[in-house]
Amino acid sequence: MHNPYSGRQAPGFRFCFHVRAINHRSLFLPLTMKKLPKIQRLLQGESPLTVFECQSIDEARHAFRELRKKFDFAYWAATEYYIRDIKDADRIIPLQLNNIQHYLIDIMQKRYHNHQVGRYIITKSFGRVGLTTCIQAYMLWLQTYQCFNNSFTCSSNSINLNPLKTDLCRLLKRDIVPSEPWIYLPKADRRAFFNTFRTPDFIRGINLGYVHFADMSKWHDPDGDDASRVYASATSAVLMQYYTLIVLEGNIPKEDRFQMEKHQSFNVPWGIRLMRLTHLSKNPFFLDHVAMANAPTSYASPLFHINLDHTFNLSKKIRIPLLP
């Protein structure tokens, strides 16, 4: 079982870090931390008091934990990012990744480490597992610690955006969610923008590093006009670099209903392709992109498809902790 505190089997590539002055038991830290000068000095036996220029070991351990949060998403989420418990609306709990969230972040972290461009389309056909919450947290962590840039989260309506904005305000220790469609992030000196797909030109002219198209299967757009416009305006503002991120996610019909190979005739006009998908989803634009991401090489999509159904077969009755 993955442990966000020790780092054992946590997402991404890791190495064993054993410095008793910092932690009596071994920690498993992200591989990106191994080359850090302070980590190298600790591994060579130098005192944490000297490395972190502290007067007490408690101060040194605190400085180490703060350093770790910048490189270890799972640890940061479990210690810094709080969400509302789906089982008890009055209870706020830290984000500890469930099995599906862990699998997702593991893929993203390893591809990020290998400098592979972060363009993803994530699908599932089962119920809520905290997919949107997890992606939102990961995007904010990247935005705060990895590459300072603006982010944009697009959803079906403002009601679905409010919990995401609330989680961010809680992280920033703000009591009131602002009425503006953006929130300022002091550590990044950038903004997190929020809006619905019904205002597709909202983000034009703004440089972005991170884009999250949340729960796209709920976007009621049978013609695909608004979805295609907001997709074009947002993605065109993101540089094609490994440190940027674009995520499309949502539910798709089960394979017996949505057979992708039947919808991969890309010589057919786009409008007709969408029309053939309208009986399967409120948002045929999303299903069309799923089909493209699984198409032959000649029609290769920049999106890397993560099909959670193929990894997590719920018929096996896998127990997955539910998060909002």
Side-chain angles (χ1 to χ4, degrees):
M1 184 65 180
H2 46 90
N3 186 321
Y5 303 105
S6 70
R8 185 181 293 275
Q9 298 182 11
F13 298 114
R14 295 188 174 252
F15 74 100
C16 182
F17 175 85
H18 187 66
V19 177
R20 289 184 62 84
I22 292 293
N23 200 75
H24 290 297
R25 296 185 178 181
S26 295
L27 298 175
F28 297 86
L29 303 180
L31 194 56
T32 49
M33 294 186 68
K34 193 171 186 178
K35 294 182 179 180
L36 296 178
K38 290 182 178 179
I39 298 299
Q40 284 292 311
R41 290 166 64 186
L42 290 172
L43 289 172
Q44 292 166 8
E46 194 170 338
S47 169
L49 299 182
T50 305
V51 172
F52 292 106
E53 301 178 354
C54 297
Q55 299 298 316
S56 70
I57 192 62
D58 287 339
E59 290 179 20
R61 288 170 178 165
H62 175 74
F64 169 79
R65 290 192 292 268
E66 291 302 306
L67 177 64
R68 181 180 174 185
K69 290 173 186 176
K70 297 179 181 180
F71 297 89
D72 194 340
F73 168 73
Y75 178 74
W76 171 84
T79 56
E80 290 285 325
Y81 199 77
Y82 289 82
I83 60 176
R84 193 173 297 279
D85 188 351
I86 194 172
K87 298 177 182 178
D88 183 356
D90 296 326
R91 185 167 172 248
I92 302 299
I93 58 174
L95 174 58
Q96 296 193 40
L97 304 182
N98 61 39
N99 292 339
I100 289 182
Q101 293 168 333
H102 171 274
Y103 171 76
L104 180 65
I105 297 301
D106 186 56
I107 291 175
M108 291 184 171
Q109 285 274 269
K110 288 177 178 176
R111 286 174 58 86
Y112 183 91
H113 183 271
N114 291 330
H115 290 193
Q116 293 174 280
V117 177
R119 302 291 183 268
Y120 301 98
I121 187 163
I122 306 166
T123 63
K124 61 182 179 65
S125 63
F126 45 87
R128 297 171 64 187
V129 291
L131 188 60
T132 299
T133 297
C134 177
I135 294 169
Q136 185 71 14
Y138 182 62
M139 185 170 70
L140 293 171
W141 175 77
L142 287 172
Q143 187 178 9
T144 303
Y145 293 116
Q146 300 300 305
C147 183
F148 306 146
N149 216 323
N150 296 313
S151 65
F152 173 52
T153 300
C154 184
S155 187
S156 56
N157 55 61
S158 57
I159 295 175
N160 291 335
L161 287 172
N162 285 337
L164 303 177
K165 295 171 71 174
T166 301
D167 290 343
L168 175 54
C169 288
R170 188 182 298 114
L171 173 69
L172 298 175
K173 296 179 171 54
R174 296 179 56 169
D175 295 331
I176 300 175
V177 177
S179 57
E180 298 90 349
W182 54 266
I183 297 174
Y184 177 69
L185 304 180
K187 286 186 178 180
D189 190 25
R190 294 295 186 272
R191 296 178 181 182
F193 291 89
F194 299 84
N195 217 317
T196 73
F197 78 100
R198 291 299 186 189
T199 51
D201 297 320
F202 161 77
I203 208 67
R204 288 192 185 278
I206 300 174
N207 292 326
L208 300 172
Y210 311 97
V211 175
H212 179 194
F213 298 107
D215 216 352
M216 292 186 75
S217 49
K218 293 183 179 178
W219 298 13
H220 186 63
D221 189 21
D223 296 328
D225 293 339
D226 289 338
S228 62
R229 284 178 61 188
V230 73
Y231 179 83
S233 62
T235 56
S236 63
V238 182
L239 294 175
M240 184 64 78
Q241 300 289 347
Y242 80 93
Y243 51 79
T244 61
L245 181 69
I246 296 175
V247 177
L248 294 74
E249 48 99 354
N251 281 26
I252 60 173
K254 293 187 180 297
E255 289 185 358
D256 58 345
R257 294 187 62 225
F258 177 45
Q259 299 173 2
M260 284 183 283
E261 62 275 9
K262 293 184 178 180
H263 299 279
Q264 292 175 337
S265 300
F266 299 111
N267 56 327
V268 175
W270 178 73
I272 295 177
R273 294 206 312 271
L274 262 59
M275 183 180 65
R276 292 174 178 175
L277 290 164
T278 52
H279 69 288
L280 294 173
S281 174
K282 294 180 179 179
N283 186 2
F285 175 86
F286 177 61
L287 292 188
D288 187 56
H289 273 67
V290 174
M292 280 196 291
N294 290 274
T297 306
S298 57
Y299 296 102
S301 165
L303 299 172
F304 181 82
H305 185 204
I306 301 177
N307 188 339
L308 297 177
D309 286 86
H310 285 183
T311 304
F312 296 90
N313 186 353
L314 293 195
S315 64
K316 296 179 181 179
K317 297 183 179 179
I318 297 175
R319 291 189 176 183
I320 302 169
L322 293 181
L323 295 172

